[in-house]
Amino acid sequence: QVQLMDIGGGSMQAGGSLILSCVVSGVARTIEHVAWFRQAPGKEREGVALMRFHGGGELYAASVEGRCTISRRNLENTFYLQVHSLKPEDTARYYCAAGPRPSLLPTPYTYWSQGTQVTVSA
């Protein structure tokens, strides 16, 4: 059974930085790609960034490109999302996801975390 646990989030000021962690347990053969998504109230779930689980293949949404990094340290079943120069519009519930195919749409992802709230105030 694959499980994802996200760590981090909270309330922060605009212009600050955010680091979220996602711990992957029970690694399955079907995990080829991992991603971060976010969902603000009344909006659809939006893909933020993705990468191949074993490294490379980074892709970012236009809304965060240039201020966002998705990464994974070697030999750790944990991947990260860093966002700099935070804006109030970054406020959302953030989720990590894992699955067999790369996409900034939620559909291909098999495994999801519970999500963590990020609130950015002006």
Side-chain angles (χ1 to χ4, degrees):
Q1 181 83 19
V2 174
Q3 292 186 323
L4 304 181
M5 181 176 67
D6 42 41
I7 302 169
S11 298
M12 48 210 74
Q13 296 288 321
S17 297
L18 163 73
I19 298 177
L20 300 176
S21 305
C22 183
V23 180
V24 183
S25 60
V27 180
R29 291 186 295 114
T30 56
I31 293 179
E32 292 291 333
H33 293 85
V34 292
W36 288 95
F37 286 79
R38 66 186 182 185
Q39 189 166 19
K43 295 189 176 181
E44 293 187 353
R45 192 165 293 191
E46 172 193 24
V48 177
L50 66 86
M51 64 178 290
R52 284 192 292 269
F53 187 53
H54 296 289
E58 293 86 355
L59 181 66
Y60 299 96
S63 57
V64 296
E65 190 150 20
R67 29 180 215 108
C68 181
T69 303
I70 185 172
S71 63
R72 177 189 173 214
R73 294 187 189 133
N74 287 341
L75 303 180
E76 289 186 5
N77 282 342
T78 303
F79 62 102
Y80 305 90
L81 180 73
Q82 299 180 62
V83 185
H84 305 287
S85 302
L86 286 168
K87 306 175 183 180
E89 49 264 44
D90 292 320
T91 295
R93 191 165 185 85
Y94 284 70
Y95 301 85
C96 53
R101 294 192 290 112
S103 177
L104 287 177
L105 296 175
T107 308
Y109 294 92
T110 311
Y111 306 105
W112 290 86
S113 68
Q114 292 294 315
T116 184
Q117 180 66 34
V118 172
T119 303
V120 182
S121 55

